[in-house]
Amino acid sequence: MSEKTKWGNFFEDFRVGQTIAHATPRTITEGDVALYTALTGSRFALTSADTFAHSLSFPRAPVDNLLAFNIVFGKTVPDISLNAIANLGYAAGRFGHRVYPGDTLTADSTVIGLKENSDGKTGIVYVRSCGVNQRGQIALDYCRWVMVRKRDPASPAPETVVPALHEAVAASDLVIPAGIRVEGYDTTLSGSTDLWDDYRVGERIDHVDGMTIEESEHMMATRLYQNTARVHFNQHAEKSGRFGRRIVYGGYIIGLARALSFNGLANAFSVVAINAGRHVSPAFAGDTVYAWSEIIEQMSLPGRHDLGALRLRTVATKDRNCADFPYRGADGSYDPSVLLDFDYTVLMPKRPGKSPPPE
Amino acid sequence: MSEKTKWGNFFEDFRVGQTIAHATPRTITEGDVALYTALTGSRFALTSADTFAHSLSFPRAPVDNLLAFNIVFGKTVPDISLNAIANLGYAAGRFGHRVYPGDTLTADSTVIGLKENSDGKTGIVYVRSCGVNQRGQIALDYCRWVMVRKRDPASPAPETVVPALHEAVAASDLVIPAGIRVEGYDTTLSGSTDLWDDYRVGERIDHVDGMTIEESEHMMATRLYQNTARVHFNQHAEKSGRFGRRIVYGGYIIGLARALSFNGLANAFSVVAINAGRHVSPAFAGDTVYAWSEIIEQMSLPGRHDLGALRLRTVATKDRNCADFPYRGADGSYDPSVLLDFDYTVLMPKRPGKSPPPE
Amino acid sequence: MSEKTKWGNFFEDFRVGQTIAHATPRTITEGDVALYTALTGSRFALTSADTFAHSLSFPRAPVDNLLAFNIVFGKTVPDISLNAIANLGYAAGRFGHRVYPGDTLTADSTVIGLKENSDGKTGIVYVRSCGVNQRGQIALDYCRWVMVRKRDPASPAPETVVPALHEAVAASDLVIPAGIRVEGYDTTLSGSTDLWDDYRVGERIDHVDGMTIEESEHMMATRLYQNTARVHFNQHAEKSGRFGRRIVYGGYIIGLARALSFNGLANAFSVVAINAGRHVSPAFAGDTVYAWSEIIEQMSLPGRHDLGALRLRTVATKDRNCADFPYRGADGSYDPSVLLDFDYTVLMPKRPGKSPPPE
């Protein structure tokens, strides 16, 4: 084993408070945007057309926030999760400065928690990861926690630190892009006349369409994000691995679910927070992904009468359509079809001249 | 079924004269061009290189007209053909202002004909669809007709209106890009010394090469065009559908056939009209596409001695090479290998200092 | 067989001294770069981020030299190797002016050697191919030799001319991009603290990761390069061909091997020469590619104390990890897993303030 080769960090390599600057800065381009469209089928007007973006006072079409998320996530993998067994969850994700083609993102992660598992072979690492543009502005930050192998089971357990994470990003903490205006928002071009006021907490929406995943698609997406986790790429090794095959990168499922959600949530023009997220089961090539969403919370935004936020749960399933909203059973366990349980917040224009409904 | 989810229009939702503005404006970028090259293998010099485009007085390499066609077509799908059983034909397609990276296309469709089928369950919808750039200039318009399901077989039949469509776009109706000059046309760079004068009506050309289609390729192309027709994407549903598998979007076959036609028609630098087109049979992943072309008409262009047009029939087949030009049998029925019968018009430089041949 | 269709040159069509200008100029864009990343997973900071490129005084992120190589190679195929049985080797490849998005490459090849094989049916064609940008500056040139079929076995053998090719490009012949400075080189962003001084001749590095190839991936890459060699694309024909299936374009393997080499050679920021190369065996979809490298030579560069060159051998294998560096047996024959034996030269920053080690 050459000492020049990176094998990633193991559980005992992490210290609470430690900040790791990640390699491979990345200039995001129109090429990445085209690939993101080709790989997910996203149709949200804001990220599809400069003209639509101009109509909301964006300088041009911003990059889909989930593309930026996946690129930042990819940078963290060689340092944080190369020896991870499971990507356990996300929380407190917040998008800041919009990313435009030409922007360069770099990323770092700070260890905010550590907890060794009782088996003594693995532990949970909690990090806050942050993606920053070439002007030093925060594009996004989010927490995630992963189960990581110990290099040496005999190494002592660190002091347990479990970070307190809010259940959701509060409305007052959301970053609304400065200067955006929605009075010229065109619901013909956006694909739906349903605006913020038309949704109700508890409402559930089946996104209807299904998308079958091919090996080359998830691998191209994952390489585009420069994510190096081995389980996604190497059939020769995975054939004798846990599942006998390559696992689809979970961030690709998030992107597909968001693209599918267009049918029913076309005016959710921007994802502004990731409150929580869990990859409930692994996806493989050949699986067909469906999705449905529930409105969890309908949030007014301080100082904005034209724009509101919706907190959503989007559930992605495999090989099962979502007409009956498959989720958890009475015992709390997930329906076996569920791939993803994703809790996030989107922006949506309000109906002009109408006050927000009582909450 | 959520009322917020779009299920597309059914036959009885259409009215002659109705114009539908389609969602999702689309800024076309160099990323789309790269993907189009990667997915079709197109080699025409005009759309491959800015330098070559400059030599013809284009400001830069325009986007392949068939890429623009496919993007406009994609926009029409959610409103026109989501409940279509068959895409029956194209006519009267004309390309106007060239599309360049950075241009944004929007699209609308006008219903120009309706005819209920005798079974009372379906009908034919004729539309003229139009793609317009951000300055309001027409990039292309074309007619197509599709067989669409009725929501309710009991709903009354509309008055039958079948539009009169010309067999082909006349030479005088072709839009020749303003200011283009071909005196510096370089036949080494273009890949062939055969110019307009060298072709003869009735001449047939086998394009030789075959291209095998993979699932991920046709799905990536179709998503790039933001075409949402379900039959292309969902193996879980299609496995119990008509063919037991996903169907390749016909516009992808058109793009492949055009790319294959480079070998024999390298100087056909621009498609300017779609006279007629028919997807004769469906294509599936694993099929190998071949193509051949026949020169149907050799057209002089008003006021241009340097440039002519060729009306072509390009036939694409599957799993059968085209050395013997498979087409129709004596009874008019197509050879079972035929996928596409496409009648279109291209521009080609004339031989300098030579008059056009008698026609 | 239409006389308008190109069937490529046969052995007897070549003459020593002949120069062939190739078709299809190509403007390279950010779209190509994004696809190259998605198809290979390349992570070298210089080609990933404009900011990193600026820090070395590049005007922006240059295109990966191997992407430029593959695009130039693709242009040569229709004229040089359409009737080739085997791509035998590379030598004397040198990269000159860096290629940036927006640059247009054209290519020509000069025949520098011919040798008929004893069977009288084939011969070896040696060419020097050159890729030039829109300002007439050389981006790269390289020699390759291929075994090409004769059209007519009865045609007389040409005089045998075998070019003398140096074993490697000398340090003094390498083109170091003008004005680049590495004093601000950031080894956190680049992904490794191992610099030129840290490598030793004879050192071998296992690049650890494996990448499984899918049909659509190698075909998309090969079409992106506008390489028309039929064996890569046509399953219908290849099923009765030599291997019963499509062959992966060797240049795609080179790109994968270089991308894999990041793990162990992250600071090898630019490939500046191809000294020799051999596609030892064919690769097919489903193969998993691994790679390892050996340091062959550690070269100082005239007038540069901040920067050195490493001559490397990178060996790519299939379905076999490279922990034990599979290569040649005692009899000189290759291990059956070996796909590629590639001898090339890279630039790498030297450790600041340290003199080069004795050589």
Side-chain angles (χ1 to χ4, degrees), chain C residues 305-321:
Chain C
H305 294 293
D306 55 344
L307 198 66
L310 294 175
R311 184 177 160 203
L312 305 171
R313 167 178 298 114
T314 293
V315 174
T317 63
K318 67 176 180 187
D319 294 345
R320 185 187 195 295
N321 85 46

mmCIF file with all atom_site columns, all heavy atoms in Angstrom, chain C residues 305-321:
data_model
loop_
_atom_site.group_PDB
_atom_site.id
_atom_site.type_symbol
_atom_site.label_atom_id
_atom_site.label_alt_id
_atom_site.label_comp_id
_atom_site.label_asym_id
_atom_site.label_entity_id
_atom_site.label_seq_id
_atom_site.pdbx_PDB_ins_code
_atom_site.Cartn_x
_atom_site.Cartn_y
_atom_site.Cartn_z
_atom_site.occupancy
_atom_site.B_iso_or_equiv
_atom_site.pdbx_formal_charge
_atom_site.auth_seq_id
_atom_site.auth_comp_id
_atom_site.auth_asym_id
_atom_site.auth_atom_id
_atom_site.pdbx_PDB_model_num
ATOM 1   N N   . HIS C 1 305 ? 13.110  26.014  -11.180 1.00 0.00 ? 305 HIS C N   1
ATOM 2   C CA  . HIS C 1 305 ? 13.414  25.404  -9.896  1.00 0.00 ? 305 HIS C CA  1
ATOM 3   C C   . HIS C 1 305 ? 12.153  25.078  -9.106  1.00 0.00 ? 305 HIS C C   1
ATOM 4   O O   . HIS C 1 305 ? 12.201  24.454  -8.063  1.00 0.00 ? 305 HIS C O   1
ATOM 5   C CB  . HIS C 1 305 ? 14.333  26.324  -9.071  1.00 0.00 ? 305 HIS C CB  1
ATOM 6   C CG  . HIS C 1 305 ? 15.671  26.459  -9.703  1.00 0.00 ? 305 HIS C CG  1
ATOM 7   N ND1 . HIS C 1 305 ? 16.562  25.413  -9.812  1.00 0.00 ? 305 HIS C ND1 1
ATOM 8   C CD2 . HIS C 1 305 ? 16.249  27.502  -10.335 1.00 0.00 ? 305 HIS C CD2 1
ATOM 9   C CE1 . HIS C 1 305 ? 17.639  25.801  -10.446 1.00 0.00 ? 305 HIS C CE1 1
ATOM 10  N NE2 . HIS C 1 305 ? 17.476  27.068  -10.796 1.00 0.00 ? 305 HIS C NE2 1
ATOM 11  N N   . ASP C 1 306 ? 11.011  25.542  -9.625  1.00 0.00 ? 306 ASP C N   1
ATOM 12  C CA  . ASP C 1 306 ? 9.749   25.399  -8.897  1.00 0.00 ? 306 ASP C CA  1
ATOM 13  C C   . ASP C 1 306 ? 8.930   24.207  -9.363  1.00 0.00 ? 306 ASP C C   1
ATOM 14  O O   . ASP C 1 306 ? 7.934   23.850  -8.733  1.00 0.00 ? 306 ASP C O   1
ATOM 15  C CB  . ASP C 1 306 ? 8.921   26.674  -9.074  1.00 0.00 ? 306 ASP C CB  1
ATOM 16  C CG  . ASP C 1 306 ? 8.714   27.025  -10.544 1.00 0.00 ? 306 ASP C CG  1
ATOM 17  O OD1 . ASP C 1 306 ? 9.450   26.478  -11.417 1.00 0.00 ? 306 ASP C OD1 1
ATOM 18  O OD2 . ASP C 1 306 ? 7.803   27.815  -10.834 1.00 0.00 ? 306 ASP C OD2 1
ATOM 19  N N   . LEU C 1 307 ? 9.352   23.598  -10.440 1.00 0.00 ? 307 LEU C N   1
ATOM 20  C CA  . LEU C 1 307 ? 8.502   22.677  -11.169 1.00 0.00 ? 307 LEU C CA  1
ATOM 21  C C   . LEU C 1 307 ? 9.367   21.587  -11.769 1.00 0.00 ? 307 LEU C C   1
ATOM 22  O O   . LEU C 1 307 ? 10.438  21.867  -12.285 1.00 0.00 ? 307 LEU C O   1
ATOM 23  C CB  . LEU C 1 307 ? 7.870   23.498  -12.305 1.00 0.00 ? 307 LEU C CB  1
ATOM 24  C CG  . LEU C 1 307 ? 6.649   22.997  -13.025 1.00 0.00 ? 307 LEU C CG  1
ATOM 25  C CD1 . LEU C 1 307 ? 5.461   22.956  -12.078 1.00 0.00 ? 307 LEU C CD1 1
ATOM 26  C CD2 . LEU C 1 307 ? 6.331   23.957  -14.181 1.00 0.00 ? 307 LEU C CD2 1
ATOM 27  N N   . GLY C 1 308 ? 8.910   20.359  -11.674 1.00 0.00 ? 308 GLY C N   1
ATOM 28  C CA  . GLY C 1 308 ? 9.625   19.273  -12.316 1.00 0.00 ? 308 GLY C CA  1
ATOM 29  C C   . GLY C 1 308 ? 8.688   18.424  -13.139 1.00 0.00 ? 308 GLY C C   1
ATOM 30  O O   . GLY C 1 308 ? 7.469   18.653  -13.170 1.00 0.00 ? 308 GLY C O   1
ATOM 31  N N   . ALA C 1 309 ? 9.260   17.442  -13.801 1.00 0.00 ? 309 ALA C N   1
ATOM 32  C CA  . ALA C 1 309 ? 8.447   16.519  -14.575 1.00 0.00 ? 309 ALA C CA  1
ATOM 33  C C   . ALA C 1 309 ? 8.700   15.109  -14.081 1.00 0.00 ? 309 ALA C C   1
ATOM 34  O O   . ALA C 1 309 ? 9.781   14.787  -13.583 1.00 0.00 ? 309 ALA C O   1
ATOM 35  C CB  . ALA C 1 309 ? 8.789   16.643  -16.060 1.00 0.00 ? 309 ALA C CB  1
ATOM 36  N N   . LEU C 1 310 ? 7.677   14.297  -14.164 1.00 0.00 ? 310 LEU C N   1
ATOM 37  C CA  . LEU C 1 310 ? 7.817   12.875  -13.869 1.00 0.00 ? 310 LEU C CA  1
ATOM 38  C C   . LEU C 1 310 ? 7.404   12.096  -15.108 1.00 0.00 ? 310 LEU C C   1
ATOM 39  O O   . LEU C 1 310 ? 6.342   12.343  -15.681 1.00 0.00 ? 310 LEU C O   1
ATOM 40  C CB  . LEU C 1 310 ? 6.898   12.463  -12.706 1.00 0.00 ? 310 LEU C CB  1
ATOM 41  C CG  . LEU C 1 310 ? 7.184   13.048  -11.332 1.00 0.00 ? 310 LEU C CG  1
ATOM 42  C CD1 . LEU C 1 310 ? 6.094   12.619  -10.344 1.00 0.00 ? 310 LEU C CD1 1
ATOM 43  C CD2 . LEU C 1 310 ? 8.559   12.605  -10.820 1.00 0.00 ? 310 LEU C CD2 1
ATOM 44  N N   . ARG C 1 311 ? 8.289   11.174  -15.496 1.00 0.00 ? 311 ARG C N   1
ATOM 45  C CA  . ARG C 1 311 ? 7.886   10.243  -16.546 1.00 0.00 ? 311 ARG C CA  1
ATOM 46  C C   . ARG C 1 311 ? 7.284   9.028   -15.851 1.00 0.00 ? 311 ARG C C   1
ATOM 47  O O   . ARG C 1 311 ? 7.884   8.452   -14.938 1.00 0.00 ? 311 ARG C O   1
ATOM 48  C CB  . ARG C 1 311 ? 9.099   9.847   -17.389 1.00 0.00 ? 311 ARG C CB  1
ATOM 49  C CG  . ARG C 1 311 ? 8.726   8.954   -18.555 1.00 0.00 ? 311 ARG C CG  1
ATOM 50  C CD  . ARG C 1 311 ? 9.938   8.635   -19.418 1.00 0.00 ? 311 ARG C CD  1
ATOM 51  N NE  . ARG C 1 311 ? 9.673   7.448   -20.212 1.00 0.00 ? 311 ARG C NE  1
ATOM 52  C CZ  . ARG C 1 311 ? 10.607  6.658   -20.731 1.00 0.00 ? 311 ARG C CZ  1
ATOM 53  N NH1 . ARG C 1 311 ? 11.905  6.950   -20.544 1.00 0.00 ? 311 ARG C NH1 1
ATOM 54  N NH2 . ARG C 1 311 ? 10.286  5.600   -21.427 1.00 0.00 ? 311 ARG C NH2 1
ATOM 55  N N   . LEU C 1 312 ? 6.085   8.676   -16.272 1.00 0.00 ? 312 LEU C N   1
ATOM 56  C CA  . LEU C 1 312 ? 5.310   7.634   -15.599 1.00 0.00 ? 312 LEU C CA  1
ATOM 57  C C   . LEU C 1 312 ? 4.966   6.519   -16.569 1.00 0.00 ? 312 LEU C C   1
ATOM 58  O O   . LEU C 1 312 ? 4.759   6.763   -17.758 1.00 0.00 ? 312 LEU C O   1
ATOM 59  C CB  . LEU C 1 312 ? 3.974   8.211   -15.098 1.00 0.00 ? 312 LEU C CB  1
ATOM 60  C CG  . LEU C 1 312 ? 4.006   9.432   -14.192 1.00 0.00 ? 312 LEU C CG  1
ATOM 61  C CD1 . LEU C 1 312 ? 2.584   9.961   -14.003 1.00 0.00 ? 312 LEU C CD1 1
ATOM 62  C CD2 . LEU C 1 312 ? 4.621   9.062   -12.856 1.00 0.00 ? 312 LEU C CD2 1
ATOM 63  N N   . ARG C 1 313 ? 4.866   5.339   -16.018 1.00 0.00 ? 313 ARG C N   1
ATOM 64  C CA  . ARG C 1 313 ? 4.153   4.274   -16.714 1.00 0.00 ? 313 ARG C CA  1
ATOM 65  C C   . ARG C 1 313 ? 2.860   4.038   -15.951 1.00 0.00 ? 313 ARG C C   1
ATOM 66  O O   . ARG C 1 313 ? 2.915   3.711   -14.752 1.00 0.00 ? 313 ARG C O   1
ATOM 67  C CB  . ARG C 1 313 ? 4.958   2.985   -16.754 1.00 0.00 ? 313 ARG C CB  1
ATOM 68  C CG  . ARG C 1 313 ? 4.100   1.773   -17.205 1.00 0.00 ? 313 ARG C CG  1
ATOM 69  C CD  . ARG C 1 313 ? 4.880   0.493   -17.296 1.00 0.00 ? 313 ARG C CD  1
ATOM 70  N NE  . ARG C 1 313 ? 5.918   0.635   -18.302 1.00 0.00 ? 313 ARG C NE  1
ATOM 71  C CZ  . ARG C 1 313 ? 7.220   0.621   -18.060 1.00 0.00 ? 313 ARG C CZ  1
ATOM 72  N NH1 . ARG C 1 313 ? 7.660   0.428   -16.828 1.00 0.00 ? 313 ARG C NH1 1
ATOM 73  N NH2 . ARG C 1 313 ? 8.093   0.789   -19.031 1.00 0.00 ? 313 ARG C NH2 1
ATOM 74  N N   . THR C 1 314 ? 1.736   4.215   -16.599 1.00 0.00 ? 314 THR C N   1
ATOM 75  C CA  . THR C 1 314 ? 0.480   3.844   -15.960 1.00 0.00 ? 314 THR C CA  1
ATOM 76  C C   . THR C 1 314 ? -0.063  2.627   -16.693 1.00 0.00 ? 314 THR C C   1
ATOM 77  O O   . THR C 1 314 ? -0.168  2.615   -17.923 1.00 0.00 ? 314 THR C O   1
ATOM 78  C CB  . THR C 1 314 ? -0.515  5.015   -15.969 1.00 0.00 ? 314 THR C CB  1
ATOM 79  O OG1 . THR C 1 314 ? -0.014  6.047   -15.112 1.00 0.00 ? 314 THR C OG1 1
ATOM 80  C CG2 . THR C 1 314 ? -1.890  4.579   -15.463 1.00 0.00 ? 314 THR C CG2 1
ATOM 81  N N   . VAL C 1 315 ? -0.338  1.615   -15.907 1.00 0.00 ? 315 VAL C N   1
ATOM 82  C CA  . VAL C 1 315 ? -0.866  0.363   -16.436 1.00 0.00 ? 315 VAL C CA  1
ATOM 83  C C   . VAL C 1 315 ? -2.325  0.247   -15.995 1.00 0.00 ? 315 VAL C C   1
ATOM 84  O O   . VAL C 1 315 ? -2.621  0.388   -14.813 1.00 0.00 ? 315 VAL C O   1
ATOM 85  C CB  . VAL C 1 315 ? -0.051  -0.837  -15.905 1.00 0.00 ? 315 VAL C CB  1
ATOM 86  C CG1 . VAL C 1 315 ? -0.672  -2.171  -16.329 1.00 0.00 ? 315 VAL C CG1 1
ATOM 87  C CG2 . VAL C 1 315 ? 1.402   -0.732  -16.373 1.00 0.00 ? 315 VAL C CG2 1
ATOM 88  N N   . ALA C 1 316 ? -3.205  0.043   -16.960 1.00 0.00 ? 316 ALA C N   1
ATOM 89  C CA  . ALA C 1 316 ? -4.614  -0.197  -16.615 1.00 0.00 ? 316 ALA C CA  1
ATOM 90  C C   . ALA C 1 316 ? -4.919  -1.672  -16.819 1.00 0.00 ? 316 ALA C C   1
ATOM 91  O O   . ALA C 1 316 ? -4.466  -2.283  -17.794 1.00 0.00 ? 316 ALA C O   1
ATOM 92  C CB  . ALA C 1 316 ? -5.526  0.651   -17.495 1.00 0.00 ? 316 ALA C CB  1
ATOM 93  N N   . THR C 1 317 ? -5.680  -2.210  -15.879 1.00 0.00 ? 317 THR C N   1
ATOM 94  C CA  . THR C 1 317 ? -6.069  -3.620  -15.971 1.00 0.00 ? 317 THR C CA  1
ATOM 95  C C   . THR C 1 317 ? -7.597  -3.720  -15.980 1.00 0.00 ? 317 THR C C   1
ATOM 96  O O   . THR C 1 317 ? -8.292  -2.753  -15.681 1.00 0.00 ? 317 THR C O   1
ATOM 97  C CB  . THR C 1 317 ? -5.569  -4.410  -14.753 1.00 0.00 ? 317 THR C CB  1
ATOM 98  O OG1 . THR C 1 317 ? -6.197  -3.875  -13.584 1.00 0.00 ? 317 THR C OG1 1
ATOM 99  C CG2 . THR C 1 317 ? -4.068  -4.321  -14.611 1.00 0.00 ? 317 THR C CG2 1
ATOM 100 N N   . LYS C 1 318 ? -8.050  -4.919  -16.280 1.00 0.00 ? 318 LYS C N   1
ATOM 101 C CA  . LYS C 1 318 ? -9.490  -5.116  -16.131 1.00 0.00 ? 318 LYS C CA  1
ATOM 102 C C   . LYS C 1 318 ? -9.776  -6.268  -15.173 1.00 0.00 ? 318 LYS C C   1
ATOM 103 O O   . LYS C 1 318 ? -9.106  -7.295  -15.196 1.00 0.00 ? 318 LYS C O   1
ATOM 104 C CB  . LYS C 1 318 ? -10.174 -5.335  -17.477 1.00 0.00 ? 318 LYS C CB  1
ATOM 105 C CG  . LYS C 1 318 ? -9.860  -6.588  -18.208 1.00 0.00 ? 318 LYS C CG  1
ATOM 106 C CD  . LYS C 1 318 ? -10.742 -6.611  -19.471 1.00 0.00 ? 318 LYS C CD  1
ATOM 107 C CE  . LYS C 1 318 ? -10.534 -7.828  -20.323 1.00 0.00 ? 318 LYS C CE  1
ATOM 108 N NZ  . LYS C 1 318 ? -11.289 -7.689  -21.582 1.00 0.00 ? 318 LYS C NZ  1
ATOM 109 N N   . ASP C 1 319 ? -10.782 -6.027  -14.331 1.00 0.00 ? 319 ASP C N   1
ATOM 110 C CA  . ASP C 1 319 ? -11.279 -7.045  -13.399 1.00 0.00 ? 319 ASP C CA  1
ATOM 111 C C   . ASP C 1 319 ? -10.172 -7.627  -12.522 1.00 0.00 ? 319 ASP C C   1
ATOM 112 O O   . ASP C 1 319 ? -10.170 -8.818  -12.200 1.00 0.00 ? 319 ASP C O   1
ATOM 113 C CB  . ASP C 1 319 ? -11.998 -8.166  -14.174 1.00 0.00 ? 319 ASP C CB  1
ATOM 114 C CG  . ASP C 1 319 ? -13.268 -7.650  -14.834 1.00 0.00 ? 319 ASP C CG  1
ATOM 115 O OD1 . ASP C 1 319 ? -13.721 -6.555  -14.463 1.00 0.00 ? 319 ASP C OD1 1
ATOM 116 O OD2 . ASP C 1 319 ? -13.795 -8.328  -15.730 1.00 0.00 ? 319 ASP C OD2 1
ATOM 117 N N   . ARG C 1 320 ? -9.237  -6.792  -12.144 1.00 0.00 ? 320 ARG C N   1
ATOM 118 C CA  . ARG C 1 320 ? -8.134  -7.240  -11.290 1.00 0.00 ? 320 ARG C CA  1
ATOM 119 C C   . ARG C 1 320 ? -7.574  -6.011  -10.603 1.00 0.00 ? 320 ARG C C   1
ATOM 120 O O   . ARG C 1 320 ? -7.147  -5.065  -11.277 1.00 0.00 ? 320 ARG C O   1
ATOM 121 C CB  . ARG C 1 320 ? -7.054  -7.877  -12.156 1.00 0.00 ? 320 ARG C CB  1
ATOM 122 C CG  . ARG C 1 320 ? -5.903  -8.506  -11.348 1.00 0.00 ? 320 ARG C CG  1
ATOM 123 C CD  . ARG C 1 320 ? -4.831  -8.945  -12.322 1.00 0.00 ? 320 ARG C CD  1
ATOM 124 N NE  . ARG C 1 320 ? -3.843  -9.846  -11.776 1.00 0.00 ? 320 ARG C NE  1
ATOM 125 C CZ  . ARG C 1 320 ? -2.978  -9.561  -10.812 1.00 0.00 ? 320 ARG C CZ  1
ATOM 126 N NH1 . ARG C 1 320 ? -2.995  -8.389  -10.210 1.00 0.00 ? 320 ARG C NH1 1
ATOM 127 N NH2 . ARG C 1 320 ? -2.067  -10.457 -10.452 1.00 0.00 ? 320 ARG C NH2 1
ATOM 128 N N   . ASN C 1 321 ? -7.588  -6.018  -9.278  1.00 0.00 ? 321 ASN C N   1
ATOM 129 C CA  . ASN C 1 321 ? -7.031  -4.842  -8.623  1.00 0.00 ? 321 ASN C CA  1
ATOM 130 C C   . ASN C 1 321 ? -5.512  -4.874  -8.715  1.00 0.00 ? 321 ASN C C   1
ATOM 131 O O   . ASN C 1 321 ? -4.909  -5.913  -9.021  1.00 0.00 ? 321 ASN C O   1
ATOM 132 C CB  . ASN C 1 321 ? -7.600  -4.655  -7.214  1.00 0.00 ? 321 ASN C CB  1
ATOM 133 C CG  . ASN C 1 321 ? -6.886  -5.450  -6.174  1.00 0.00 ? 321 ASN C CG  1
ATOM 134 O OD1 . ASN C 1 321 ? -5.652  -5.483  -6.122  1.00 0.00 ? 321 ASN C OD1 1
ATOM 135 N ND2 . ASN C 1 321 ? -7.660  -6.112  -5.332  1.00 0.00 ? 321 ASN C ND2 1
#
